[in-house]
Amino acid sequence: MSPIIKITHLDKFFGRLQVLKDISLEINLQEVVCIIGRSGAGKSTLLRCINFLEEPSFGDIEVDGLCVSGGKKVREQRDLIHEIRLRTGMVFQEFNLFPHMSVLENVMEGPVTVKKMDKAAAQKIAEMNLERVGMIFKKNEYPNRISGGQKQRVAIARALAMEPKVMLFDEPTSALDPELIGEVLAVMKSLAHDGTTMLVVTHEMEFACDAANRVIVMHEGELVEQGTPTQVFDHPENEHTLALVERYRSGKTTQPVN
Amino acid sequence: MSNPSATVTATKSQADLIYEMQVRAKRRFSIGVAISWFVMLAFLAFLFSSTKITLGSFTFKTIHIDGAFIRENIPFIASGVWITIGISALSILFATILALLAALGRLSKFPPIYALCTFYVSLIRGTPLYLQIFFFFLALPQVGIILPGLWAGVLALGLNYGAYMSEIFRAGLSSVSKGQREAALAIGMTPGQMMQRVVVPQALRFAIPPTGNEFVAMLKDSALVSATGFVHELMWRATKVGRAQFHNLEALITAAVFYWIMTLVFSYFQSRLEARMSRGER
C-alpha cells in the first residue's frame, strides 16, 4: 500500500537559518505517528509544511497521491495545495476557534463554506463530530465561554468535520493547563483507536508511548531516529533521543502517571 | 427600641461593607459631577440672561438675547436637524464602504492596488475638508461636472472620512490573529472565503464602535457643507436667519444647542453600543 504522506528531501529555510534539513518520511494509512524533540527542533515547521502553512524551500511532499514541491511558486500549485488542505485536518496549539461563531457554527463552517453543503446536512455532520469529542452539550456556546480543553476538542471536531484522510496535530496540549490536558489526549486516543491516520507533534511522551505506532525524533532540523515506542523509549540509539527519554524518565519517577 | 437597620449592618461581612463603601463613593462622585454640570449650565444661562447686576456704584448687564427672535425662527432652524442627520448618515455609509475597500486594498500584494489606497489616504488627509467640499462644488463645474450641493457635500465628507476611517478598519483587520487565518486556510478555505467568513466579520466587530464615534464627529463637520449655500441643513439655516435680521448671536446659539443635543443623544447610543460590543463573544 502506498503511503498517505510521503516527504522526500525536504529543506526549509527561515531567511538564512535552515530549520529542516533533508527530511524524508512516509506515513501510512491508519498509522499514528508522534514527532518528538526539543523546542526549536523543527517539528511544527515540518508539520506545517505538509499543508503549506509554511512553504517548503526544497523537496517534494505527496499527500494522498497529490504531489507538491518546495521552491515552486505557490500560484502554480495553488489548486494542488487547496486539495491537500481538503484532505488534511489540522489542530493548532492555540485552538484558533472562530470567536464570532458558536461551537456548532465553528464545526459547520468547513462543510458549509468550503464543501458548499446545505446547512441541514452540515449540521448533522457537525453534531456527529461534536458528539465524538464529547462537546455536543456546548454546541450553542461561544468559544469564549468554554475552557481551553473544551476549545481544543471543538477544534478537533472542526477538523474532523471535513472528513480528512489524515489529521495533523501541532502541539495540541501545549497551551493547556495541566488539568485540562487529559481530556484532549483521551479524545485523541479514541481517534487513534478508531483508525484515524494521525501525525502528532507533541511533548507528551506518555501519549507517544501509549498511542503511537511510530515515534519520530527530531533534533536541530534533522530526523535523528524513528521506530516503535518501545524501540525509541526503551532502546534509544541516538544521543539526543537518549537525552529526551532520560528527561522523561526522571520526570516519571516524581510524577506517577495514571 | 430596636433599630432594624443596625441589626442588618451587624450581620454584614467586612467584604460587603467595603463593597458598599466603594459603591457609595462612586455614587457620590457621579452626583458631584452632575451638580457641577448643572451649575456650569446655569452659569451659561445666566451669562445670556440680560440680568442687571449692581456692585456698589458699578452696574452692568449680562448678554441680552432676543427670545422672541428665537421663538419665531426655531421651527425654521430645527427643520435643518433632519437634513444634517441625513447628510451625515449618507456620508458615513459612503465612508464606511470606501474605508473597508481602502483597508482591504492595503493588504494587496499587487503594487498598483496597494499604491492606489495609500495614495488616496495620503491625498485626502493632506488637504483640508473645507477645500475638498469646495472642490467638488465649485471646481468640478469648470470641467463640466455639476453636482448639486448635497451630493458634493456627501461626496467630500464620504471621501474624507473614508480616508481616516480606513485606518480604523486597517487596525481592525490586523487585530485578527494569524492563527485565525491559518485555521481558515487549513479547513480548505480560499483566501477570499477566509476574508469574507473569518477576517472581515471580526475586523468589523472591532471597527463598529469607533465608526459610531466618527458618525458623531461627522454630525458636526457636516456644518461645513452649508458653505456651498445650497444645502439647507442646520448651520445654513442658522446663518441665513441670523444674517438677515442681524441676530447671529441668537441664531448660532440655537444651532449650537441643537448640535449639542444631537451629539449627546448619538454619543449615548454610541457608548451603549461600545459597551455591548466589548462584552460580546470575543
Side-chain angles (χ1 to χ4, degrees):
Chain A
M1 196 172 65
S2 63
I4 183 85
I5 296 178
K6 187 176 170 189
I7 297 169
T8 23
H9 303 301
L10 184 71
D11 287 330
K12 171 69 184 172
F13 291 85
F14 282 131
R16 286 194 187 146
L17 180 73
Q18 186 167 12
V19 288
L20 294 178
K21 297 169 187 162
D22 194 26
I23 304 277
S24 292
L25 178 66
E26 292 185 0
I27 311 287
N28 295 311
L29 267 180
Q30 303 210 324
E31 229 187 342
V32 176
V33 178
C34 285
I35 305 177
I36 61 172
R38 291 173 38 189
S39 300
K43 311 180 296 289
S44 288
T45 308
L46 173 62
L47 198 73
R48 289 160 56 83
C49 278
I50 294 172
N51 63 357
F52 261 69
L53 289 184
E54 297 293 351
E55 242 177 275
S57 306
F58 301 104
D60 296 326
I61 291 171
E62 198 181 313
V63 180
D64 200 20
L66 306 160
C67 189
V68 285
S69 304
K72 261 202 219 170
K73 282 245 170 74
V74 173
R75 210 177 303 157
E76 288 168 25
Q77 37 190 9
R78 189 168 48 193
D79 296 341
L80 276 175
I81 293 169
H82 184 247
E83 194 57 39
I84 285 179
R85 284 177 179 161
L86 288 178
R87 296 185 197 186
T88 53
M90 189 158 201
V91 176
F92 298 86
Q93 183 178 340
E94 301 289 345
F95 333 124
N96 296 335
L97 289 182
F98 305 132
H100 56 302
M101 301 180 192
S102 71
V103 161
L104 184 66
E105 287 165 342
N106 261 281
V107 185
M108 284 170 64
E109 186 57 25
V112 170
T113 300
V114 179
K115 287 190 172 170
K116 310 284 180 214
M117 206 177 268
D118 72 85
K119 288 223 164 140
Q123 183 167 349
K124 222 177 224 171
I125 289 180
E127 284 175 348
M128 192 186 78
N129 283 294
L130 283 172
E131 198 94 59
R132 205 168 165 194
V133 299
M135 285 301 299
I136 192 77
F137 73 115
K138 292 277 189 187
K139 69 172 181 177
N140 293 320
E141 286 292 359
Y142 278 82
N144 67 337
R145 301 283 306 271
I146 59 179
S147 74
Q150 292 176 331
K151 280 182 199 167
Q152 195 59 298
R153 283 150 64 194
V154 173
I156 292 172
R158 179 175 66 179
L160 287 174
M162 292 299 285
E163 292 166 346
K165 293 270 174 69
V166 50
M167 287 282 287
L168 309 173
F169 292 86
D170 187 6
E171 301 197 23
T173 57
S174 297
L176 294 175
D177 291 336
E179 73 268 23
L180 301 176
I181 290 175
E183 57 184 276
V184 173
L185 291 182
V187 166
M188 290 169 63
K189 276 183 190 165
S190 82
L191 293 183
H193 184 78
D194 297 344
T196 313
T197 312
M198 293 162 60
L199 186 53
V200 185
V201 169
T202 187
H203 291 288
E204 293 293 323
M205 302 295 176
E206 188 67 32
F207 174 80
C209 219
D210 290 355
N213 307 116
R214 181 152 51 113
V215 177
I216 289 173
V217 186
M218 286 185 71
H219 183 78
E220 291 184 351
E222 284 177 277
L223 201 161
V224 293
E225 185 163 1
Q226 59 174 315
T228 63
T230 326
Q231 281 171 342
V232 170
F233 287 108
D234 297 344
H235 312 287
E237 284 168 4
N238 184 283
E239 49 171 328
H240 302 300
T241 313
L242 190 65
L244 267 180
V245 171
E246 283 292 325
R247 231 185 2 190
Y248 162 54
R249 283 208 194 107
S250 62
K252 211 172 173 181
T253 52
T254 52
Q255 275 182 314
V257 267
N258 26 347
Chain B
M1 275 255 277
S2 72
N3 183 343
S5 76
T7 50
V8 170
T9 316
T11 59
K12 271 180 189 156
S13 74
Q14 203 168 3
D16 284 338
L17 289 173
I18 289 171
Y19 174 71
E20 270 178 17
M21 242 165 68
Q22 286 169 340
V23 169
R24 262 201 305 271
K26 249 187 205 162
R27 197 181 306 145
R28 248 200 316 271
F29 182 79
S30 307
I31 292 171
V33 170
I35 291 172
S36 307
W37 262 68
F38 183 76
V39 168
M40 283 182 253
L41 213 58
F43 178 70
L44 209 58
F46 167 73
L47 263 185
F48 291 98
S49 62
S50 99
T51 315
K52 199 184 259 178
I53 298 171
T54 312
L55 292 169
S57 62
F58 185 63
T59 304
F60 68 96
K61 254 171 105 179
T62 61
I63 301 160
H64 171 74
I65 51 175
D66 186 344
F69 172 85
I70 292 181
R71 271 193 298 282
E72 196 179 309
N73 288 290
I74 214 167
F76 179 74
I77 295 175
S79 57
V81 165
W82 298 112
I83 300 170
T84 289
I85 291 176
I87 293 171
S88 303
L90 276 176
S91 306
I92 205 85
L93 188 71
F94 181 40
T96 304
I97 295 166
L98 275 177
L100 192 57
L101 289 176
L104 285 171
R106 288 186 85 161
L107 298 174
S108 173
K109 293 207 170 75
F110 186 53
I113 300 258
Y114 177 87
L116 177 70
C117 298
T118 48
F119 189 82
Y120 156 62
V121 172
S122 171
L123 179 66
I124 296 293
R125 299 216 307 185
T127 50
L129 172 57
Y130 198 55
L131 186 150
Q132 289 159 14
I133 290 170
F134 272 119
F135 184 86
F136 284 107
F137 185 69
L138 293 179
L140 284 186
Q142 208 173 319
V143 292
I145 303 168
I146 299 167
L147 292 173
L150 177 74
W151 292 112
V154 167
L155 205 62
L157 280 171
L159 275 171
N160 186 276
Y161 271 66
Y164 285 96
M165 281 166 59
S166 77
E167 293 296 313
I168 296 173
F169 283 76
R170 201 159 68 98
L173 288 172
S174 59
S175 77
V176 181
S177 73
K178 194 169 155 233
Q180 288 288 313
R181 293 162 209 260
E182 289 184 346
L185 293 175
I187 57 170
M189 286 193 193
T190 62
Q193 289 169 334
M194 171 189 84
M195 291 308 290
Q196 192 197 330
R197 299 288 306 164
V198 176
V199 179
V200 171
Q202 291 184 61
L204 281 181
R205 172 173 296 195
F206 177 97
I208 282 173
T211 301
N213 223 357
E214 292 293 304
F215 181 73
V216 172
M218 194 181 267
L219 279 175
K220 290 161 290 159
D221 276 352
S222 70
L224 292 173
V225 177
S226 70
T228 63
F230 284 88
V231 187
H232 302 173
E233 45 71 75
L234 198 45
M235 184 66 185
W236 181 87
R237 284 164 188 268
T239 46
K240 182 180 158 73
V241 293
R243 277 184 188 145
Q245 305 175 36
F246 198 62
H247 272 303
N248 285 312
L249 181 65
E250 290 84 353
L252 289 177
I253 286 173
T254 310
V257 169
F258 279 119
Y259 276 116
W260 198 7
I261 290 171
M262 277 195 288
T263 310
L264 285 173
V265 169
F266 282 101
S267 297
Y268 170 74
F269 285 120
Q270 196 263 336
S271 66
R272 285 266 304 262
L273 181 74
E274 202 161 317
R276 227 181 63 194
M277 301 298 277
S278 69
R279 98 176 107 86
E281 303 104 12
R282 267 238 140 220

